[in-house]
Amino acid sequence: MTELTNWIDGAHVKSGSGRFSDVFNPATGEVQAQTPLSSVDELNDAVARAKAAQVGWGATNPQRRARVMMAFGALINQHMDELAELVAREHGKTIPDAKGDVQRGLEVVEVCMGAPHMLKGEFTDDGGPGIDLYSMRQPLGVVAGITPFNFPAMIPMWKMAPALVAGNAMILKPSERVPSTALRLAELLQEAGLPDGVLQVVNGDKEVVDAILDNDDIAAVGFVGSTPIAQYIYGRAANNGKRAQCFGGAKNHMIIMPDADLDKAADALVGAGYGAAGERCMAISVAVPVGQKTADALIERLVPRVEKLKVGPYTAGEDVDYGPVITAQAKSRIEGLIDSGVKEGANLVIDGRGFELQGYEKGFFVGPSLFDNVTPDMEIYREEIFGPVLSQVRAETYEDALKLTMNNPYGNGTAIYTADGDTARDFAHRVNVGMVGINFPIPVPLSYHTFGGWKKSAFGDLNQYGPDAFRFYTKTKTVTARWFSGIKDGGEFNFKAMD
Ligand code: NAD
């Protein structure tokens, strides 16, 4: 059994906590490694070392720090296949999907190559007689990143790249379900020239997270995960005087107008609903066709497409549309939610429960499920299922569909399919959701914009990556300066003194 490590001061270090968590191969159900659940003392030691390493790194000029990102980016490209395999082995997603995971992280690293531009300050010449003002962006010190299981490469990179290039040291606490990719990325960052100690990867569970939240030397916490944990971490971090941005769960709606191209909408729903086994915070889990005719026509198009989906292990190659879910518990939770949908009267058009794959009987596979006539009071509507389950909620009018989306407590992503520019524009303006797609099912913004939901999908201000990340990971200092040699009594500028 492989015993995974922490990454401390640029080396793999075994934890002495004596506590471990199993890392599964979700396709086979086998335990393939054990990740340490580090102790409070181990975390505090890692922070003290990071604090010492940050002094030199923070004083390194931004262009040199950006060069580390350039080398890191090149190494990610060079190791793309290996990283994708690591992601797929622990998460279960297909290789093309795993490459997408790495690629979307790499794109944030690429923006960080231009960090000097993002980090430069502002200057006011002659704000008063002989007075100049300038502001600078300074690193916070030691910051922490706490990441979820569903993007083992992308989200650690969303956290690490901007935090590090801004001159901070980082404690990264990856998901205990998928720790290996973060450890490999740490090795690549070292190879790229990151000084030892500036990035510490400390594996663990709630014990380590709480130690992060209570450590006075950690200035900021960037979290991504489920809503209850996001809210908890935000509260405790803020209470301890830390800057915090905590991104949570989602229930993303797609509105399909009667004038939409229904074939394109159905294709988009299948990709966005079932891709990565529905384990994406930007997955579409609710389809909202407007009008009964649209709903009937849409379900007619969805059924053959969903029935055609191929579920299997990543090793089966491009033939597979999506893989297993992350754990046996996730599988039984998803199947339990499907049971509740049936009990509460939704129409289960395609049933993915009890799915088994020959040769992979112990794998955590869930077949695709499709519900029609779901109503907002049902558990399958209220809960984030985070599995390959799409629910159709029928709306009579556009206003009803908009109201449904707006009344949902989550506000990560949403989409509208329509041929009408006015409706699309109205939707984009009025909907209270952070990321909006127009004839675009998963509107994850490009890396030089920013990513963030509204309502219960995010706690704290400022989004992830893009310009907001540089704001989050730096603090502004503004200097007002006056030099008396050039100033006459009374404050007027003495031009003669300049001769
Ligand atoms: P999770 O909340 O269970 O875990 C996230 C992190 O929190 C992990 O590192 C975990 O170790 C830690 N954690 C778990 N329980 C904790 C506790 N009680 N106290 C302290 N720390 C704890 O989330 P997950 O299952 O790994 O990821 C899936 C969730 O993440 C989904 O809800 C999904 O929507 C969400 N997500 C959101 C975004 C976004 O940007 N909004 C992106 C990806 C995933």
Side-chain angles (χ1 to χ4, degrees):
M1 181 67 53
T2 311
E3 182 184 321
L4 298 173
T5 58
N6 291 328
W7 178 260
I8 305 294
D9 287 357
H12 288 282
V13 175
K14 280 193 176 182
S15 163
S17 75
R19 292 201 307 131
F20 292 92
S21 176
D22 291 338
V23 179
F24 291 91
N25 176 340
T28 61
E30 283 160 8
V31 177
Q32 56 182 338
Q34 291 205 301
T35 192
L37 301 176
S38 309
S39 67
V40 174
D41 285 348
E42 285 170 326
L43 181 273
N44 289 339
D45 177 64
V47 175
R49 291 165 185 275
K51 189 179 174 184
Q54 190 273 332
V55 177
W57 178 243
T60 303
N61 77 55
Q63 198 143 17
R64 280 175 187 261
R65 296 198 303 249
R67 280 185 203 131
V68 173
M69 291 297 140
M70 290 177 205
F72 183 41
L75 286 166
I76 292 168
N77 272 314
Q78 209 175 307
H79 293 272
M80 177 63 82
D81 290 345
E82 177 205 339
L83 288 165
E85 168 96 21
L86 263 183
V87 168
R89 257 170 65 93
E90 290 186 351
H91 176 282
K93 60 179 79 177
T94 64
I95 292 290
D97 212 15
K99 283 190 179 164
D101 189 333
V102 179
Q103 178 64 29
R104 296 312 292 254
L106 171 61
E107 287 166 14
V108 169
V109 174
E110 285 168 350
V111 167
C112 290
M113 296 174 190
H117 175 65
M118 304 303 294
L119 294 170
K120 70 184 192 297
E122 293 175 326
F123 184 80
T124 295
D125 177 38
D126 271 347
I131 297 171
D132 300 326
L133 284 91
Y134 57 95
S135 60
M136 43 191 163
R137 293 195 168 279
Q138 295 193 321
L140 303 177
V142 183
V143 300
I146 302 165
T147 56
F149 79 82
N150 66 327
F151 283 99
M154 179 183 86
I155 297 182
M157 282 195 261
W158 287 6
K159 299 289 162 214
M160 292 189 296
L164 295 174
V165 83
N168 300 287
M170 172 162 265
I171 304 292
L172 179 69
K173 207 300 282 172
S175 165
E176 60 273 42
R177 315 243 175 263
V178 291
S180 297
T181 311
L183 289 167
R184 184 70 186 115
L185 289 170
E187 289 175 346
L188 294 180
L189 266 165
Q190 182 186 50
E191 202 178 328
L194 188 74
D196 293 346
V198 172
L199 172 69
Q200 315 274 47
V201 181
V202 183
N203 285 299
D205 59 2
K206 180 173 168 53
E207 189 172 320
V208 154
V209 172
D210 285 348
I212 287 173
L213 300 176
D214 294 342
N215 187 304
D216 288 339
D217 285 327
I218 294 182
V221 178
F223 170 88
V224 182
S226 59
T227 287
I229 311 297
Q231 193 159 8
Y232 162 72
I233 288 180
Y234 180 68
R236 188 150 166 177
N239 207 30
N240 285 338
K242 299 185 196 313
R243 193 176 280 196
Q245 53 172 200
C246 300
F247 299 93
K251 195 82 185 175
N252 304 316
H253 295 46
M254 185 203 276
I255 295 179
I256 301 96
M257 296 300 293
D259 62 3
D261 180 327
L262 292 184
D263 286 309
K264 286 204 165 72
D267 286 342
L269 277 168
V270 172
Y274 300 95
E279 290 176 328
R280 290 181 181 138
C281 68
M282 289 293 276
I284 294 287
S285 49
V286 184
V288 193
V290 170
Q292 298 297 338
K293 249 174 81 181
T294 315
D296 291 340
L298 184 64
I299 209 94
E300 201 176 282
R301 284 166 173 78
L302 282 171
V303 169
R305 286 167 167 82
V306 175
E307 279 174 344
K308 243 198 270 164
L309 285 171
K310 291 211 183 87
V311 185
Y314 76 90
T315 43
E318 309 249 329
D319 221 22
V320 167
D321 292 300
Y322 72 82
V325 298
I326 189 70
T327 54
Q329 290 87 332
K331 176 179 160 87
S332 65
R333 178 182 166 275
I334 293 163
E335 295 192 335
L337 282 162
I338 299 170
D339 292 343
S340 89
V342 174
K343 272 192 210 121
E344 290 187 309
N347 176 15
L348 183 58
V349 182
I350 297 176
D351 186 354
R353 291 173 295 181
F355 181 91
E356 271 195 16
L357 200 63
Q358 210 182 353
Y360 293 89
E361 286 78 6
K362 293 204 171 126
F364 313 139
F365 294 98
V366 181
S369 292
L370 177 64
F371 276 109
D372 194 4
N373 294 308
V374 173
T375 53
D377 52 312
M378 293 177 181
E379 200 182 1
I380 46 166
Y381 177 80
R382 286 183 283 112
E383 285 290 313
E384 180 187 35
I385 299 176
F386 224 53
V389 183
L390 181 66
S391 296
Q392 174 157 285
V393 179
R394 293 171 176 239
E396 287 305 325
T397 65
Y398 164 68
E399 286 297 330
D400 290 344
L402 177 63
K403 205 185 289 170
L404 180 81
T405 310
M406 292 185 62
N407 285 343
N408 192 277
Y410 295 105
N412 216 36
T414 187
I416 188 165
Y417 268 64
T418 180
D420 183 70
D422 277 344
T423 310
R425 191 168 186 279
D426 183 80
F427 181 70
H429 274 260
R430 288 168 66 197
V431 74
N432 54 1
V433 171
M435 292 169 282
V436 181
I438 295 173
N439 296 319
F440 205 91
I442 303 195
V444 175
L446 289 173
S447 53
Y448 41 92
H449 289 260
T450 70
F451 180 108
W454 287 15
K455 299 186 277 183
K456 288 210 176 293
S457 293
F459 301 86
D461 65 358
L462 296 176
N463 283 351
Q464 308 194 78
Y465 66 72
D468 269 13
F470 293 98
R471 294 187 190 109
F472 182 75
Y473 287 116
T474 58
K475 50 195 172 192
T476 304
K477 185 181 280 173
T478 308
V479 179
T480 303
R482 177 162 62 183
W483 296 96
F484 292 109
S485 55
I487 303 170
K488 261 195 337 199
D489 283 351
E492 271 172 23
F493 200 82
N494 181 355
F495 288 98
K496 277 208 169 142
M498 303 281 288
D499 295 339

